[in-house]
Amino acid sequence: MHRELIEKMKSSKVSFHEADRMPDIDSAILARRTAVSEFTGVELKHITNFSFNTREVTKRNIENMIGAIQVPLGVAGPLHITGEYANGGYYIPLATRGCSVITACGGASARIFKDEMTRAPVFKVKDAKGAKELVDWVNNPVNFKRLKEKAETTTKFGKLLSLTTFVAGRNVFIRFSYDTKDAMGMNMVTIATDVAVDLILSETSAELVALSGNMCSDKKPAAINVITGRGKTVSADVVLDRKTIMDKLKTTPEKMVDVNYRKNLIGSALSGSLGMNAHAANVASAMFIACGQDAAHAVEASNTMTTLELTDEGLHCSVTLPSLAVGTVGGGTTIGTQKECLEMLGVAGAGNPPGANSKKFAEIIAAAVLAGEISLIGALAARHLAKAHSEHGR
Amino acid sequence: MHRELIEKMKSSKVSFHEADRMPDIDSAILARRTAVSEFTGVELKHITNFSFNTREVTKRNIENMIGAIQVPLGVAGPLHITGEYANGGYYIPLATRGCSVITACGGASARIFKDEMTRAPVFKVKDAKGAKELVDWVNNPVNFKRLKEKAETTTKFGKLLSLTTFVAGRNVFIRFSYDTKDAMGMNMVTIATDVAVDLILSETSAELVALSGNMCSDKKPAAINVITGRGKTVSADVVLDRKTIMDKLKTTPEKMVDVNYRKNLIGSALSGSLGMNAHAANVASAMFIACGQDAAHAVEASNTMTTLELTDEGLHCSVTLPSLAVGTVGGGTTIGTQKECLEMLGVAGAGNPPGANSKKFAEIIAAAVLAGEISLIGALAARHLAKAHSEHGR
Amino acid sequence: MHRELIEKMKSSKVSFHEADRMPDIDSAILARRTAVSEFTGVELKHITNFSFNTREVTKRNIENMIGAIQVPLGVAGPLHITGEYANGGYYIPLATRGCSVITACGGASARIFKDEMTRAPVFKVKDAKGAKELVDWVNNPVNFKRLKEKAETTTKFGKLLSLTTFVAGRNVFIRFSYDTKDAMGMNMVTIATDVAVDLILSETSAELVALSGNMCSDKKPAAINVITGRGKTVSADVVLDRKTIMDKLKTTPEKMVDVNYRKNLIGSALSGSLGMNAHAANVASAMFIACGQDAAHAVEASNTMTTLELTDEGLHCSVTLPSLAVGTVGGGTTIGTQKECLEMLGVAGAGNPPGANSKKFAEIIAAAVLAGEISLIGALAARHLAKAHSEHGR
Amino acid sequence: MHRELIEKMKSSKVSFHEADRMPDIDSAILARRTAVSEFTGVELKHITNFSFNTREVTKRNIENMIGAIQVPLGVAGPLHITGEYANGGYYIPLATRGCSVITACGGASARIFKDEMTRAPVFKVKDAKGAKELVDWVNNPVNFKRLKEKAETTTKFGKLLSLTTFVAGRNVFIRFSYDTKDAMGMNMVTIATDVAVDLILSETSAELVALSGNMCSDKKPAAINVITGRGKTVSADVVLDRKTIMDKLKTTPEKMVDVNYRKNLIGSALSGSLGMNAHAANVASAMFIACGQDAAHAVEASNTMTTLELTDEGLHCSVTLPSLAVGTVGGGTTIGTQKECLEMLGVAGAGNPPGANSKKFAEIIAAAVLAGEISLIGALAARHLAKAHSEHGR
């Protein structure tokens, strides 16, 4: 029977989902993998190595599982951080050289300015007059309260914080903004908003076009995320002394300021960029994969602004991430290896109070991004980049 | 002695790099992992599972390795593609439902419009007059030929195609554009440009500030990548018939057009976005991880433009990715599991002629992104999104 | 003595401001004009023609006056508008053909969604921790109340509505948002914010860098104005019937929809534009000059979003201007010719209640921009543009 | 008969264009003005004052003329400029204080980097495959030559320089780039492109959607104009010494650098702006009105990048305008007062060689924008802005 199913999958007579009917999960994974292997003629021996709980993973994280990808994991640190949530030395699950520079200078500070996850359905109304009526309805405090109550029936932790309306002719976008505590929250806010939308549909003449109208904006390079924030808005900074810069980065504070000014500010501006940084997405992306986050949120992480300024006390270096979408519960956070990485940072699962773990995690990522910026800007200032590429093949 | 090293790493007396001096790689990995485990008090049993060649990986892909992250791998397809390079049915190493819709309608077409990887150093000159002199020097065909010769001494495959200059006061950016064949090429163009820069420095009074001046622009949400392209500029499209849409997506072509118009065009525009799509970064990101690409390049993939248009023949659906940075050699493409995924697609290693594999890979990714767009837009049009989130927890 | 002063001005021994010491204004104007005429050898006979009150104009509108520019004034209309403020037929002080189309279809509707003028000083603090402290201070409702009281001491009409903070490392921007009633308000909010800033400086350790930190953002092509609005956020729309389109515009609704979709949405998106329109800045700019507005605010007017959609009732056409900065008091609104244009629209001076005139004016401009969009999109759909250019030389 | 026509216009029975049938132009102007005056009840006595040639103006510049707007004209300068085209002291037809600072420091330098006017029609093709075919056709050098020949049949001066293609699914944009010599050239390139388009339509299966597809991009806040340039790309710069800054601007170089860095770079970046300047649009707009330019091109002028940097020689100040659309022939350049202003600058009419006058004009505008930036940044650094607003009412 397995053979029969495999043959049917190979000839596209049935879809891969058919294998889900098999009595046990591992047989289904094997059947699908066999079909792919035989169809493509590729021996698949590496993707068979994994140690996570397949029942949980197939239920929550992946459709049509056939195995696992192994992503090599490095470590950097300890990175000393003084945030409102993160405090102490942390081993960062990925490799970047800037950590030792920061730690040598007393550690990074970090602060969170905003923490809201958004979902913005788009509605169609009759005309500009109808748009005004819908906007007025939404802006009525009584209706906000009712929408909040409905939305919050779907979630134990999520809280609706505010609604913002945007109009383009007969298109009205309503941006729902939530506190999602330790969850990254895309799932939570989608479900909550879906229910709230029903109330709008039942009391106004607006027609729902799509539950997400791209004013959210999820995984798109959008100015709205820079300006209003999405997920965590977080800064990390440190003051580096001249000696450490010369010893460890083989360059001077002045050269680093010059690189940041001409590359990250002038160059980014000329290129029409929403992010003014050297490679924030690299560090964020590596940590996202290690820690079970949605890797595509590297898009929002790339909105980072990096500043380097000479002060009386030394070289002040900062990063500000306006739209860092991360969480410590849900998503891929419970997969074996990913969970171990979160545990290394002391942020696995729900925090106490709720939200504390994801905020701490955000501070750590910001500090790691800062380390990455210092490392690359230092290398550019010392003209070491191409050499590093040659040596490490990346 | 191991114990001694471990204790020193735990107390930050030596850096993790010290372990690289140990005689064998696996001992170094173990020593680092033990140090992290004992310092953080976290038992690290999952990250120990991996099957790739540690010698190769530690040499090329990762610093301070302590183990591996397992990313669950799903499969979708077969997705039929008619490109100039990809031709036939492909199993896509990740899960998205749109594949069956596309294949049921005869498969996707794909075309590549441009294929250039860029690196843009920033120079400092005296003033506007000096900027003009440098620009004139670079635009001199004789000098282009000399820069090309120098740059190409560093690479077997790379070809310098063109130089473009940009000025802001006394800052001059020179954007080097290369054909990098089957390599994604960031490494290659950095090394080649570094050598070419020496010629500029020796013949002009310009001063190099940074080898990358962010007019490249790598992993930043920059308009220049949308407008001039970076990596592959590739389109994929398909015409869907009404019956298939109604049967498989439970909605109508008209509703899907409406969702795309109001969400992906109007909504994206209002949000100040450089990408007009539903979730291109999701699909690209999943394939990047599976196939050994640089996951942070999801940033450039998010620049995708999606169109849905009713025509006499059915619903024409397209995606255009102006800046898809992918390769089939170098980077993480040789790691065990990642290589298997590339093999499943028939694109592992160098193509014949050189460049053919990475172009074929780009066509497949574009078709997969198209499948993802059709799937999500269909779900939104049918108002199934929140339900899907509830069921799959993602 | 005149001759002496003229000679001194010609030889740059004294500045043109010296002429302001002359006993009467017209002599000063003449002296300066003579100096310029003799220095450049250009007979200046046209710029001597003007009829406005030179005392008032030199006091409020212009430095070193030497004459006046004559800008030819056309008229279009009547354009029928049904707004909340504008109601009836209006002669638009400039020329565009779309008015008759709109009026033939029953007139345009218009609605105002937001009305706030902003000024955003930038402060320097010590670090991220200091930024958080400043942000917390500003977000304290007690301090908002005190800032509001101080700011409002400087203005009879202006009301401080809200404060929004933005952070980049140690840079904190505080965006002050005001209701400025019938004034465009840049002047008013600058003065009010300047006073409020003193309170911030006296109670926090923040240092003022500049009273305008470009998060305002005035006369720059900035996404923040599209997303949060600045000045009036206003929509105008109309439903055109097929017959009128075919008779007057010599094209079809379908073709106009196609032009708007491919040009104003797809084309604008590809070009990295913040405005999705055909030529909104043209109409706005012409009306600004005619009506004594700040002509450079054409920049913000160019953020307009134009939509054309086929509905059961006909072709729904809309424009939404997120950042229309206009007023009916102050600035150039009292100059003779400009005042006449405002009077033609019934909006000269302060409204009753205050703010009503500027809102009515905004509705009229939105409707005129709508007329301009319909006119040009119609011409493009009928392929008449080049022909029109040939005939009219513009 | 006049009375009859006036009554008909008042009651909208005939359009204002009817008056063009009257035997003489001044009667037509009078008739229209009377109709407007009687309909609105506004005495129109100021707009009757003008001295330009009504025959020429009504033929080339304005439809349905009823009079003229008087815009007060100030003068600044002399501003010393050392460009490749502008050389000497110039009186700038508008008021800004920075001129004297620049001139006191030896004058501004200026350079032009690019000079191309663009028009980008949008075509519809069948699919991605069809898009590739069209792009290949356009990129064929033989076809470029033929398109160039056709386009240039329509113009004595214009030269087609290059074609660039952009694709979004089945939409293909072809950006035609011309040297338009002394004309701003929008008119010229529209007519030339219209003719070239016919060749494309006759030899390919592409369908023209609109002669302008917004990839041009005209009067829209578009990144493409920043990145590829449009009209003139021009820089102006000057080195200011400390003493002059302290004497004339009452501040220090350090403070000015700080204002530029935090306001024009950081603040602009955070606001999602394509222009990094203090108020370039103000100066450009004022000169455009004075000199007969298209005032709505303030939009592209607002793309200006301003830099202030401390060097060994003093404070280096620069502006770079990537997209300055100006001309000295055509448009409003021949209207009496406007022509006088161009004559004051020595740039009225065609240059020798053709193009020299418009390039010289561009250099002067850039230098004037530089003066405006220095003036405002100085005032902000000295905290004089609000005071200046209070005094001058603007």
Side-chain angles (χ1 to χ4, degrees), chain D residues 3-165:
Chain D
R3 179 41 53 190
E4 195 184 342
L5 177 64
I6 288 165
E7 292 300 330
K8 279 186 182 167
M9 290 196 290
K10 278 169 64 181
S11 58
S12 297
K13 275 181 194 137
V14 303
S15 86
F16 284 122
H17 284 285
E18 282 300 307
D20 288 338
R21 301 196 185 176
M22 293 174 77
D24 81 296
I25 289 165
D26 294 329
S27 304
I29 293 171
L30 176 61
R32 275 190 291 255
R33 188 168 60 236
T34 306
V36 171
S37 177
E38 294 183 0
F39 180 90
T40 61
V42 179
E43 188 190 0
L44 297 167
K45 63 182 181 188
H46 284 289
I47 68 169
T48 59
N49 289 282
F50 49 86
S51 58
F52 48 68
N53 181 323
T54 49
R55 176 169 305 277
E56 219 171 279
V57 160
T58 54
K59 198 174 151 196
R60 302 169 51 115
N61 301 106
I62 192 83
E63 289 180 72
N64 293 328
M65 179 173 161
I66 60 170
I69 294 295
Q70 300 159 22
V71 182
L73 175 68
V75 75
L79 173 59
H80 278 274
I81 308 179
T82 324
E84 290 181 312
Y85 299 88
N87 224 309
Y90 295 89
Y91 285 105
I92 308 298
L94 66 86
T96 177
R97 282 196 190 87
C99 291
S100 67
V101 181
I102 290 177
T103 295
C105 292
S109 171
R111 284 297 180 275
I112 286 169
F113 291 91
K114 214 171 168 183
D115 183 7
E116 303 184 7
M117 184 45 64
T118 56
R119 188 45 102 191
V122 52
F123 298 86
K124 186 159 61 178
V125 292
K126 189 161 182 279
D127 50 21
K129 191 164 160 284
K132 185 73 187 288
E133 286 163 7
L134 177 54
V135 165
D136 285 347
W137 189 92
V138 171
N139 287 341
N140 182 332
V142 174
N143 291 328
F144 172 73
K145 202 169 157 245
R146 293 165 67 206
L147 289 167
K148 181 175 164 68
E149 275 166 14
K150 279 215 73 170
E152 292 178 2
T153 58
T154 63
T155 161
K156 199 159 39 168
F157 290 109
K159 299 292 166 198
L160 181 63
L161 300 175
S162 65
L163 298 174
T164 316
T165 53

Side-chain angles (χ1 to χ4, degrees), chain A residues 83-143:
Chain A
E84 289 180 311
Y85 299 90
N87 223 307
Y90 295 89
Y91 285 104
I92 307 299
L94 66 85
T96 177
R97 284 196 189 87
C99 291
S100 67
V101 181
I102 290 177
T103 297
C105 292
S109 172
R111 284 298 178 276
I112 287 171
F113 291 90
K114 213 172 167 183
D115 184 6
E116 304 184 6
M117 183 45 63
T118 55
R119 187 46 101 192
V122 52
F123 299 86
K124 187 161 58 177
V125 293
K126 189 161 184 277
D127 50 19
K129 189 163 161 285
K132 185 74 187 290
E133 286 163 6
L134 176 55
V135 166
D136 286 346
W137 189 92
V138 172
N139 287 340
N140 182 331
V142 174
N143 292 328

Side-chain angles (χ1 to χ4, degrees), chain D residues 186-366:
Chain D
M186 278 300 298
N187 192 6
M188 186 194 290
V189 306
T190 301
I191 294 166
T193 303
D194 188 55
V195 170
V197 157
D198 283 331
L199 181 60
I200 296 171
L201 297 181
S202 69
E203 303 219 352
T204 73
S205 59
E207 183 185 332
L208 178 70
V209 176
L211 190 52
S212 161
N214 276 21
M215 287 293 283
C216 314
S217 161
D218 191 50
K219 295 163 193 160
K220 259 82 67 182
I224 198 170
N225 291 337
V226 177
I227 291 168
T228 68
R230 185 165 192 260
K232 271 77 171 164
T233 300
V234 56
S235 286
D237 63 353
V238 66
V239 177
L240 304 184
D241 60 74
R242 181 176 302 270
K243 194 177 171 319
T244 306
I245 290 170
M246 296 187 74
D247 286 355
K248 290 193 173 262
L249 298 171
K250 315 294 180 200
T251 185
T252 64
E254 288 76 13
K255 281 195 179 169
M256 289 179 70
V257 166
D258 211 41
V259 167
N260 194 66
Y261 167 72
R262 298 185 200 280
K263 169 192 173 69
N264 286 347
L265 291 180
I266 305 271
S268 296
L270 270 192
S271 74
S273 181
L274 296 166
M276 323 305 268
N277 60 78
H279 70 145
N282 270 340
V283 175
S285 175
M287 289 190 70
F288 286 179
I289 293 169
C291 299
Q293 309 299 306
D294 191 334
H297 275 138
V299 176
E300 281 96 332
S302 73
N303 293 337
T304 297
M305 160 86 71
T306 300
T307 68
L308 263 69
E309 304 180 4
L310 276 173
T311 69
D312 292 345
E313 298 173 8
L315 179 65
H316 181 269
C317 308
S318 84
V319 293
T320 304
L321 294 81
S323 46
L324 180 62
V326 293
T328 59
V329 302
T333 58
T334 54
I335 303 173
T337 49
Q338 285 81 332
K339 198 177 171 201
E340 285 177 359
C341 286
L342 289 170
E343 286 171 345
M344 276 169 55
L345 300 171
V347 298
N352 180 8
N357 267 4
S358 71
K359 286 189 179 70
K360 179 177 170 186
F361 186 36
E363 290 183 342
I364 296 171
I365 293 174

